[in-house]
Amino acid sequence: MAGNLTLDTLSKAVETGDIDTVIVAAVDMQGRLVGKRFHAAHFISEGWHETHCCNYLLTVDMEMFTVPGYKTASWEKGYGDYIMKPDLDTMRRLPWLEGTALVLCDLLDHHSHEEVPESPRAILKKQVARARAMGFEPMMATELEFYVFENSYETLRDQGTTNLAPISAYNEDYHIFQTTKEEPLMRALRNGLYGAGIPVENTKGEADAGQAEINVRYLDAMSTADNHVIVKTATKEIAHALGKSVTFMAKYDTAKGGSSSHVHQSLWTLDGKPAFRDDKDPRGMSALMKHYLAGQLAYARDTTLFLAPYVNSYKRFCVGLFAPTKAVWSCDNRTAGYRICGENTGAVRIECRIGGADLNPYLAMAALLAAGLEGIENKLPLEPEMTGDMYQLEGIREIPKNLREAAALTAASEAMRAALGADVIDHYVRAARWEIEESDRVVTDYELNRGLERA
Ligand code: ADP
């Protein structure tokens, strides 16, 4: 069980007045929690069966705009309902919100009661089921980076974002003293998440002023994705309560390092043995791991869209700031898109470094799994390891340069259409194309500052 409450323990907590509110939430295309707050008594008597939401939630953009061009929901179809079906295994206390519990939901078709294929949880579930049918449990972790600012969200709303004040004055990578100053937020975050049943490993300062990282212990892929979206929400909620703000944008400032969400991956046998480990291999990498990695490399460019879903995401991929620019593999080398960690140990694993903190973890893990499982099914051979500074190597596989290129590659990928479903691919390519259309249309500060006087 991923959460730490059952209906029974929730009922007892409601009786004692410990809990009075249950947040019932689904996950949208952007990886945000969307849903309703229930009075706990009503949740226990009725809400736990199901509730409903407008089906536009899986088509709107960041601004909740009703984006045209989707098959699943539109003005023509009248924007009907989805069923929100609570997954009671995910039910947990949220210690940082008084008297409050949270349960995550699956989204079901209102008529057929089938899971909506475009829902992020459904997309990941399908790939996990595929891995299990092959005899493997995907175990994953996401490392999440973000920036912390002294400003409150309300100040930023009222005064604009020009005076963002990072919580630190300097690059605080691994610094203890600077992060001591940040403990009112970070300690509350670690302990709050722990109390919510999320096994936090650590937090640390990151490689720019005001940047932080949080690590949660690796778990089965669905639990990791669920934890990831709860961690993001918790970070915002706790920062807000302290009058501060955080951002998970991939790149909030041209001059600053971007924020990543590296994805650590390994496959385990269904009886709990690390299937990526082979004592006889010089690196300790099994044949299975090599095929999985070969699949990830073969489809690296087809899957980037799910690791970098916005126009802004691609601004993170620049030379010398620890975000990769090349989709190649290397052992313990932070300049490669796919870094092997834990060589010659039971924890040997692939760290995909391409994803930004703005990724949707369900889609990112589903796409990575789909690519890796293709590699295993087709016994793809692993290309030679690259060594040295990948930023300087010419003629090796590049990460797509922008969202337009990534969306075109995903749209044209027969392998991803077959693995994730053609409708799913069309849906998320539409989301990407909308982001491109909007950014093509909008005049930015950059253009204004360059052109106003001199154009
Ligand atoms: P780093 O050197 O990058 O800081 P860590 O030792 O902190 O690496 O591990 C990073 C993440 O990898 C952690 O979230 C950890 O739980 C996860 N991890 C460790 N072993 C495995 C594994 N076998 N499969 C997947 N993830 C793993």
Side-chain angles (χ1 to χ4, degrees), residues 61-108:
D61 67 2
M62 198 76 88
E63 301 280 9
M64 307 304 283
F65 183 75
T66 48
V67 176
Y70 287 104
K71 274 196 219 155
T72 54
S74 61
W75 290 118
E76 295 79 53
K77 289 187 163 177
Y79 284 121
D81 262 356
Y82 283 147
I83 294 170
M84 295 175 71
K85 179 80 184 161
D87 176 349
L88 295 179
D89 281 349
T90 68
M91 195 155 64
R92 67 192 72 229
R93 288 167 188 275
L94 300 185
W96 60 94
L97 296 183
E98 206 181 336
T100 302
L102 165 78
V103 67
L104 297 177
C105 296
D106 291 313
L107 291 172
L108 312 185

Coordinates of all heavy atoms in Angstrom, one line a residue, residues 61-108:
D61 N -4.9 24.0 -21.2 CA -3.5 24.3 -21.0 C -3.2 24.8 -19.6 O -4.1 24.8 -18.7 CB -3.0 25.2 -22.1 CG -3.6 26.6 -22.0 OD1 -4.4 26.9 -21.0 OD2 -3.3 27.5 -22.8
M62 N -2.0 25.3 -19.4 CA -1.6 25.8 -18.0 C -2.6 26.8 -17.5 O -2.9 26.9 -16.3 CB -0.2 26.4 -18.1 CG 0.5 26.5 -16.9 SD 1.1 25.0 -16.2 CE 2.7 24.9 -17.0
E63 N -3.2 27.6 -18.4 CA -4.1 28.7 -18.1 C -5.6 28.2 -18.0 O -6.5 29.0 -17.8 CB -4.1 29.8 -19.2 CG -2.7 30.4 -19.4 CD -2.4 31.4 -18.3 OE1 -3.1 31.6 -17.3 OE2 -1.3 32.1 -18.5
M64 N -5.8 26.9 -18.1 CA -7.2 26.3 -18.1 C -8.0 26.8 -19.3 O -9.2 26.8 -19.3 CB -8.0 26.7 -16.8 CG -7.3 26.3 -15.5 SD -6.8 24.6 -15.4 CE -8.3 23.8 -15.0
F65 N -7.2 27.2 -20.4 CA -7.9 27.6 -21.6 C -8.5 26.3 -22.3 O -7.8 25.3 -22.4 CB -6.9 28.3 -22.5 CG -7.6 28.8 -23.8 CD1 -8.4 30.0 -23.7 CD2 -7.4 28.2 -25.0 CE1 -9.0 30.4 -24.9 CE2 -8.0 28.7 -26.2 CZ -8.8 29.8 -26.1
T66 N -9.7 26.5 -22.9 CA -10.3 25.4 -23.6 C -9.7 25.2 -25.0 O -10.1 25.9 -26.0 CB -11.8 25.6 -23.8 OG1 -12.0 26.9 -24.3 CG2 -12.5 25.4 -22.5
V67 N -8.6 24.4 -25.1 CA -7.8 24.3 -26.3 C -8.6 23.5 -27.4 O -9.1 22.4 -27.1 CB -6.5 23.6 -26.0 CG1 -5.7 23.4 -27.2 CG2 -5.7 24.5 -25.0
P68 N -8.7 24.0 -28.6 CA -9.4 23.2 -29.6 C -8.5 22.1 -30.2 O -7.3 22.2 -30.0 CB -9.7 24.3 -30.7 CG -8.6 25.3 -30.5 CD -8.2 25.3 -29.1
G69 N -9.1 21.2 -30.9 CA -8.3 20.2 -31.6 C -8.1 18.8 -30.9 O -7.3 18.0 -31.4
Y70 N -8.9 18.6 -29.9 CA -8.8 17.3 -29.2 C -10.0 16.4 -29.5 O -11.1 16.9 -29.6 CB -8.7 17.5 -27.7 CG -7.4 18.0 -27.2 CD1 -7.3 19.3 -26.8 CD2 -6.3 17.2 -27.1 CE1 -6.1 19.8 -26.3 CE2 -5.1 17.6 -26.6 CZ -5.0 19.0 -26.2 OH -3.8 19.5 -25.7
K71 N -9.7 15.1 -29.7 CA -10.8 14.2 -29.9 C -11.6 13.9 -28.7 O -12.8 13.6 -28.7 CB -10.3 12.8 -30.4 CG -10.0 12.8 -31.9 CD -9.9 11.3 -32.3 CE -8.8 11.2 -33.4 NZ -8.1 9.9 -33.4
T72 N -11.0 13.9 -27.5 CA -11.6 13.5 -26.3 C -12.7 14.4 -25.7 O -13.7 14.0 -25.1 CB -10.6 13.2 -25.1 OG1 -9.9 14.4 -25.0 CG2 -9.7 12.1 -25.5
A73 N -12.5 15.7 -25.9 CA -13.4 16.7 -25.3 C -13.3 18.0 -26.1 O -12.3 18.4 -26.6 CB -13.0 17.0 -23.9
S74 N -14.5 18.6 -26.3 CA -14.6 19.8 -27.1 C -15.9 20.5 -26.9 O -16.8 20.0 -26.3 CB -14.5 19.5 -28.6 OG -15.6 18.6 -29.0
W75 N -16.0 21.8 -27.4 CA -17.3 22.5 -27.3 C -18.4 21.7 -28.1 O -19.5 21.5 -27.7 CB -17.2 23.9 -27.9 CG -16.4 24.8 -27.0 CD1 -15.3 25.5 -27.4 CD2 -16.7 25.2 -25.7 NE1 -14.8 26.2 -26.3 CE2 -15.7 26.1 -25.3 CE3 -17.7 24.9 -24.8 CZ2 -15.7 26.7 -24.0 CZ3 -17.7 25.5 -23.5 CH2 -16.7 26.4 -23.2
E76 N -18.0 21.1 -29.3 CA -19.0 20.3 -30.1 C -19.5 19.1 -29.3 O -20.7 18.8 -29.4 CB -18.3 19.7 -31.3 CG -17.8 20.7 -32.4 CD -16.5 21.3 -32.0 OE1 -15.5 20.6 -31.7 OE2 -16.4 22.6 -31.9
K77 N -18.6 18.5 -28.4 CA -19.1 17.4 -27.7 C -19.7 17.8 -26.3 O -20.1 17.0 -25.5 CB -17.9 16.4 -27.4 CG -17.4 15.7 -28.6 CD -16.4 14.6 -28.2 CE -16.2 13.6 -29.3 NZ -15.2 12.6 -29.0
G78 N -19.7 19.1 -26.1 CA -20.4 19.6 -24.9 C -19.6 19.5 -23.6 O -20.2 19.7 -22.5
Y79 N -18.4 19.2 -23.6 CA -17.5 19.0 -22.4 C -18.3 18.4 -21.3 O -18.7 19.0 -20.3 CB -17.0 20.4 -22.0 CG -15.9 21.0 -22.8 CD1 -16.0 22.2 -23.5 CD2 -14.7 20.3 -22.9 CE1 -14.9 22.7 -24.2 CE2 -13.6 20.8 -23.7 CZ -13.8 22.0 -24.3 OH -12.7 22.5 -25.1
G80 N -18.5 17.1 -21.4 CA -19.2 16.3 -20.4 C -18.3 16.0 -19.2 O -17.4 16.7 -18.9
D81 N -18.6 14.9 -18.5 CA -18.0 14.5 -17.3 C -17.0 13.3 -17.5 O -17.2 12.4 -18.3 CB -19.0 14.0 -16.3 CG -19.4 15.1 -15.3 OD1 -18.7 16.2 -15.4 OD2 -20.2 14.9 -14.4
Y82 N -16.0 13.2 -16.6 CA -15.3 12.0 -16.3 C -15.7 11.6 -14.9 O -16.0 12.4 -14.1 CB -13.8 12.2 -16.4 CG -13.1 12.3 -17.7 CD1 -12.0 13.2 -17.9 CD2 -13.6 11.6 -18.8 CE1 -11.4 13.3 -19.1 CE2 -13.0 11.7 -20.0 CZ -11.9 12.5 -20.2 OH -11.3 12.6 -21.4
I83 N -15.6 10.3 -14.7 CA -15.7 9.8 -13.3 C -14.3 9.9 -12.7 O -13.3 9.5 -13.3 CB -16.2 8.3 -13.3 CG1 -17.6 8.2 -13.8 CG2 -16.0 7.7 -11.9 CD1 -18.0 6.8 -14.1
M84 N -14.3 10.4 -11.5 CA -13.0 10.4 -10.7 C -13.2 9.2 -9.7 O -14.0 9.3 -8.8 CB -12.8 11.7 -9.9 CG -12.6 12.9 -10.8 SD -12.5 14.4 -9.8 CE -10.9 14.3 -9.0
K85 N -12.4 8.2 -9.9 CA -12.5 7.0 -9.1 C -11.3 7.0 -8.1 O -10.2 6.7 -8.5 CB -12.4 5.8 -10.0 CG -12.5 4.4 -9.3 CD -14.0 4.1 -9.0 CE -14.1 2.8 -8.2 NZ -15.4 2.8 -7.5
P86 N -11.6 7.2 -6.8 CA -10.5 7.2 -5.8 C -9.8 5.9 -5.8 O -10.4 4.8 -5.8 CB -11.2 7.5 -4.5 CG -12.4 8.2 -4.9 CD -12.9 7.6 -6.2
D87 N -8.4 5.9 -5.9 CA -7.6 4.8 -5.7 C -7.2 4.7 -4.2 O -6.3 5.4 -3.8 CB -6.4 4.9 -6.6 CG -5.4 3.8 -6.4 OD1 -5.5 3.0 -5.4 OD2 -4.4 3.7 -7.2
L88 N -8.0 3.9 -3.4 CA -7.9 4.0 -2.0 C -6.5 3.6 -1.5 O -6.1 4.0 -0.3 CB -9.0 3.2 -1.3 CG -10.4 3.7 -1.6 CD1 -11.4 2.8 -0.9 CD2 -10.6 5.2 -1.1
D89 N -5.7 2.9 -2.3 CA -4.4 2.6 -1.9 C -3.5 3.8 -1.8 O -2.4 3.7 -1.2 CB -3.7 1.6 -2.9 CG -4.2 0.2 -2.8 OD1 -4.8 -0.1 -1.7 OD2 -3.9 -0.6 -3.7
T90 N -3.9 4.9 -2.4 CA -3.1 6.1 -2.3 C -3.5 7.1 -1.2 O -2.9 8.2 -1.1 CB -3.1 6.9 -3.6 OG1 -4.5 7.5 -3.8 CG2 -2.8 6.1 -4.8
M91 N -4.5 6.7 -0.4 CA -5.0 7.6 0.6 C -4.0 7.8 1.8 O -3.4 6.9 2.3 CB -6.3 7.1 1.1 CG -7.1 8.1 1.9 SD -8.9 7.8 1.9 CE -8.9 6.2 2.8
R92 N -3.8 9.1 2.1 CA -2.8 9.4 3.1 C -3.2 10.7 3.8 O -3.9 11.5 3.3 CB -1.4 9.6 2.5 CG -1.4 10.7 1.5 CD -0.2 10.7 0.6 NE -0.3 9.7 -0.4 CZ 0.7 8.8 -0.7 NH1 1.8 8.9 0.0 NH2 0.6 7.9 -1.6
R93 N -2.6 10.9 5.0 CA -2.6 12.2 5.7 C -1.7 13.2 5.0 O -0.6 12.8 4.5 CB -2.1 12.1 7.1 CG -3.0 11.3 8.0 CD -2.2 11.0 9.3 NE -3.0 10.1 10.1 CZ -3.9 10.5 11.0 NH1 -4.1 11.8 11.2 NH2 -4.6 9.7 11.7
L94 N -2.0 14.5 5.0 CA -1.1 15.5 4.6 C -0.8 16.3 5.8 O -1.5 17.3 6.1 CB -1.7 16.4 3.5 CG -2.2 15.7 2.2 CD1 -2.6 16.7 1.2 CD2 -1.0 14.9 1.6
P95 N 0.2 16.0 6.6 CA 0.5 16.6 7.9 C 0.6 18.1 7.8 O 0.4 18.8 8.8 CB 1.7 15.9 8.4 CG 1.9 14.7 7.6 CD 1.2 14.9 6.3
W96 N 1.0 18.6 6.7 CA 1.3 20.1 6.6 C 0.0 20.9 6.3 O 0.0 22.1 6.4 CB 2.3 20.4 5.5 CG 1.9 20.0 4.1 CD1 1.2 20.7 3.1 CD2 2.1 18.7 3.5 NE1 1.0 20.0 2.0 CE2 1.5 18.7 2.2 CE3 2.7 17.5 3.9 CZ2 1.6 17.6 1.3 CZ3 2.7 16.4 3.1 CH2 2.1 16.5 1.8
L97 N -1.1 20.2 6.1 CA -2.4 20.8 6.0 C -3.3 20.3 7.1 O -3.6 19.1 7.2 CB -3.1 20.5 4.6 CG -2.4 21.0 3.3 CD1 -3.3 20.7 2.1 CD2 -2.2 22.5 3.4
E98 N -3.8 21.2 7.9 CA -4.5 20.8 9.1 C -5.7 20.0 8.8 O -6.5 20.3 7.9 CB -5.0 22.1 9.9 CG -5.1 21.9 11.3 CD -5.6 23.2 12.0 OE1 -5.4 24.3 11.5 OE2 -6.2 23.1 13.1
G99 N -5.9 18.9 9.5 CA -7.1 18.0 9.4 C -7.3 17.5 8.0 O -8.5 17.1 7.7
T100 N -6.3 17.3 7.2 CA -6.5 17.0 5.8 C -5.9 15.7 5.4 O -4.7 15.4 5.7 CB -6.0 18.2 4.9 OG1 -6.7 19.3 5.3 CG2 -6.3 17.9 3.5
A101 N -6.6 14.9 4.6 CA -6.1 13.7 3.9 C -6.2 13.9 2.4 O -6.9 14.9 1.9 CB -6.9 12.5 4.3
L102 N -5.5 13.1 1.6 CA -5.5 13.2 0.2 C -5.7 11.8 -0.4 O -5.2 10.8 0.1 CB -4.2 13.7 -0.4 CG -3.9 13.5 -1.9 CD1 -4.6 14.5 -2.7 CD2 -2.4 13.6 -2.2
V103 N -6.5 11.7 -1.5 CA -6.6 10.4 -2.2 C -6.5 10.8 -3.7 O -7.1 11.8 -4.2 CB -7.9 9.6 -1.9 CG1 -9.1 10.3 -2.4 CG2 -7.8 8.2 -2.5
L104 N -5.7 10.0 -4.4 CA -5.5 10.2 -5.9 C -6.6 9.3 -6.6 O -7.0 8.3 -6.1 CB -4.1 9.8 -6.3 CG -3.0 10.6 -5.7 CD1 -1.6 10.2 -6.2 CD2 -3.2 12.1 -6.1
C105 N -7.0 9.8 -7.8 CA -8.1 9.2 -8.5 C -7.6 8.7 -9.9 O -6.8 9.4 -10.5 CB -9.2 10.1 -8.7 SG -10.0 10.6 -7.2
D106 N -8.3 7.7 -10.4 CA -8.2 7.3 -11.8 C -9.4 8.0 -12.5 O -10.4 8.3 -11.9 CB -8.3 5.8 -12.0 CG -7.0 5.1 -11.5 OD1 -5.9 5.6 -11.8 OD2 -7.2 4.2 -10.7
L107 N -9.2 8.3 -13.8 CA -10.3 9.0 -14.6 C -10.9 7.9 -15.4 O -10.2 7.2 -16.2 CB -9.7 10.1 -15.4 CG -9.2 11.3 -14.6 CD1 -8.5 12.3 -15.4 CD2 -10.4 12.0 -13.8
L108 N -12.2 7.8 -15.3 CA -13.0 6.8 -16.1 C -14.0 7.4 -17.0 O -14.5 8.5 -16.7 CB -13.7 5.8 -15.2 CG -13.0 5.2 -13.9 CD1 -14.0 4.2 -13.3 CD2 -11.7 4.5 -14.3

